[in-house]
Amino acid sequence: MHQRFDLLLFGILLAVMATASPAEGAEPARVLLAAQTASDGTVRVTATVVDGRGTPVTETPITFKARTTFGWLTLVETSTDVAGRAEMTLPPALRPEEVTAEAGGEGTVRATILIGRRATSEPRIRPGRALLSRSSPQPGFISPYPVPMQVALFGLVLGGIWTTYAYVAWLLLRIRTGR
């Protein structure tokens, strides 16, 4: 009877250890992401990889990526620690809107977290028709320059083009006559 009791306790102890300790070599089923912003502007992203039972998975390769205008940029390739976690720190200069963590090999498990949007400036708006109608006689042609200035600029551009043509023609005529 004493031997059965010891075997029963040993079995219970093994069951508790199997559920309490991180699973090594188990298949990752989920990636949990968390982001924390520090006072200096850095952002620490933590990924926790767990299996189907919710047990942390150790030594799982994990890749952190950031979404850019041109696609996904790989930031860090690492593996999970004993607690099934992997961390990376984003400096204040690099603040992507989205960060994703991919864990595992063949059956990649992935999670994405939104870090935050960048502050954008207000778009610059041209003056409207009401303001520019005083300086342009044509309603379809809006220019911030007054009409005499528009005519002078147009005349300078056309005058420069025709002066260049005249100079080239004069040079060709000199070459032809041999002078």
Side-chain angles (χ1 to χ4, degrees):
M1 168 109 170
H2 186 63
Q3 190 177 11
R4 270 192 194 177
F5 184 72
D6 287 341
L7 283 174
L8 181 63
L9 280 177
F10 183 72
I12 291 172
L13 182 63
L14 280 177
V16 168
M17 285 177 53
T19 59
S21 65
E24 193 167 328
E27 272 305 306
R30 241 182 358 186
V31 178
L32 308 170
L33 281 177
Q36 185 177 13
T37 305
S39 60
D40 62 352
T42 60
V43 177
R44 189 172 75 207
V45 180
T46 305
T48 305
V49 180
V50 295
D51 63 5
R53 298 180 305 184
T55 306
V57 181
T58 63
E59 299 301 319
T60 299
I62 191 160
T63 305
F64 289 98
K65 295 181 179 181
R67 182 185 294 272
T68 66
T69 305
F70 305 106
W72 290 97
L73 173 68
T74 300
L75 299 172
V76 175
E77 291 180 349
T78 185
S79 60
T80 56
D81 60 8
V82 178
R85 284 190 301 231
E87 292 183 356
M88 66 159 259
T89 303
L90 293 169
L94 178 65
R95 184 62 70 89
E97 291 181 20
E98 268 182 80
V99 173
T100 188
E102 296 177 350
E106 291 292 319
T108 299
V109 181
R110 148 182 338 169
T112 303
I113 190 168
L114 294 174
I115 300 293
R117 298 202 178 270
R118 289 185 179 182
T120 56
S121 61
E122 281 292 315
R124 292 179 35 179
I125 300 173
R126 290 183 2 176
R129 288 184 186 267
L131 180 66
L132 295 175
S133 64
R134 295 185 296 254
S135 61
S136 179
Q138 301 171 342
F141 182 67
I142 296 178
S143 173
Y145 302 110
V147 175
M149 180 71 119
Q150 291 175 25
V151 172
L153 287 174
F154 187 69
L156 279 173
V157 170
L158 277 181
I161 292 171
W162 283 106
T163 303
T164 303
Y165 284 146
Y167 180 69
V168 169
W170 178 72
L171 286 176
L172 289 174
L173 184 63
R174 283 188 58 194
I175 291 170
R176 188 166 189 177
T177 59
R179 291 192 214 165

